[in-house]
């Protein structure tokens, strides 16, 4: 237990340094136990160093922890540091009670499509989240504006047709708001 607490303190320090997130002792302990497969604890001159294996932008802020029942079928989610978005296809129960079945956006939907993922690895796309364009994409209006790879935008939600509404950061040719077809979500990565 004493070694685990030393590692927890090192983890708290690393999380604060990597992402600016400060966790309480209990939150850090829960986080450590939930994500122990993603951490490597090593000794360097008798100092425990916690290093995030999956990357520093992993889902590590306490307010982003969600339970499986907080997700719904059809939600857009990101898994760990994977840049591609997924759709929740099924919420598990019984043996899969903490798992959600996800498929890539644009993947052909079938009974066997997708894979099961533990809910703690998922980050739900929410209004206000920053996104980056991974591949050039043309908007869903008759303006045919092209968002180039590397452009950044803020997610505003969905329109009545289920298409994606974005706010451009900075504006593109005087245009601040833009709409993309839902299938183009696969070209957007969470920042």
């Amino acid at each position: 237990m004493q070694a685990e607490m030393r590692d927890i303190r090192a983890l708290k320090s690393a999380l604060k340094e990597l992402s600016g997130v400060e966790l309480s002792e209990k939150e850090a302990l829960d986080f450590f136990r939930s994500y122990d497969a993603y951490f490597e604890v090593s000794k360097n001159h008798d100092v425990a160093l916690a290093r995030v294996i999956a990357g520093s932008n992993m889902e590590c802020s306490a307010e982003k922890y969600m339970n499986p029942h907080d997700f719904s079928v059809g939600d857009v989610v990101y898994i760990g540091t994977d840049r591609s978005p997924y759709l929740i296809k099924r919420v598990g129960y019984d043996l899969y009670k903490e798992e959600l079945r996800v498929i890539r956006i644009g993947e052909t939907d079938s009974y066997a499509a997708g894979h099961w993922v533990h809910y703690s690895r998922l980050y739900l796309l929410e209004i206000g989240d920053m996104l980056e364009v991974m591949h050039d994409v043309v908007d869903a209006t008759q303006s045919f504006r092209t968002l180039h790879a590397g452009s950044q935008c803020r997610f505003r939600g969905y329109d009545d047709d289920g298409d994606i509404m974005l706010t451009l950061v900075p504006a593109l040719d005087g245009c601040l708001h833009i709409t993309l077809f839902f299938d183009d979500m696969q070209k957007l990565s969470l920042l």
Side-chain angles (χ1 to χ4, degrees), residues 6 11 23 25-26 28 34 37 44 48 51 55 64 104-105 111-112 120 130 139-140 144 155 158 172:
R6 182 185 64 239
L11 171 63
L23 300 178
E25 290 288 328
K26 183 184 179 332
S34 297
N44 182 10
R51 181 169 60 87
K64 288 295 182 184
R104 286 192 186 274
I105 293 177
Y111 181 77
S120 64
M130 287 297 293
D139 75 355
F144 299 108
F155 179 67
Y158 304 99
L172 174 68

Side-chain angles (χ1 to χ4, degrees), residues 29 40 42 56 64 90 96 104 116 157 165 180-181 189:
L29 184 60
E40 176 183 294
S42 61
S56 64
K64 288 295 182 184
R90 278 196 295 272
Y96 293 95
R104 286 192 186 274
W116 291 100
M165 298 186 306
L180 299 179
F181 292 114
S189 174

Side-chain angles (χ1 to χ4, degrees), residues 118-155:
H118 192 270
Y119 77 91
S120 64
R121 295 190 54 221
L122 299 177
Y123 182 90
L124 179 66
L125 178 65
E126 297 175 306
I127 293 174
D129 283 344
M130 287 297 293
L131 301 168
E132 180 179 21
V133 179
M134 294 187 294
H135 304 284
D136 289 0
V137 61
V138 177
D139 75 355
T141 67
Q142 293 182 352
S143 302
F144 299 108
R145 288 184 188 89
T146 301
L147 289 178
H148 297 287
S151 301
Q152 294 185 1
C153 49
R154 188 172 302 279
F155 179 67

Side-chain angles (χ1 to χ4, degrees), residues 28-46:
L29 184 60
D30 291 343
F31 187 84
F32 183 78
R33 288 179 177 161
S34 297
Y35 291 94
D36 60 351
Y38 299 103
F39 289 97
E40 176 183 294
V41 178
S42 61
K43 303 277 190 237
N44 182 10
H45 305 307
D46 297 328

Side-chain angles (χ1 to χ4, degrees), residues 63-103:
E63 64 271 9
K64 288 295 182 184
Y65 290 154
M66 299 183 75
N67 293 315
H69 61 270
D70 292 332
F71 294 99
S72 300
V73 171
D75 283 345
V76 175
V77 294
Y78 289 84
I79 302 172
T81 59
D82 189 344
R83 294 185 54 122
S84 300
Y86 292 80
L87 280 175
I88 293 180
K89 179 178 171 160
R90 278 196 295 272
V91 177
Y93 62 94
D94 197 23
L95 293 175
Y96 293 95
K97 74 177 181 178
E98 294 185 343
E99 304 278 324
L100 296 134
R101 189 154 185 97
V102 296
I103 60 172

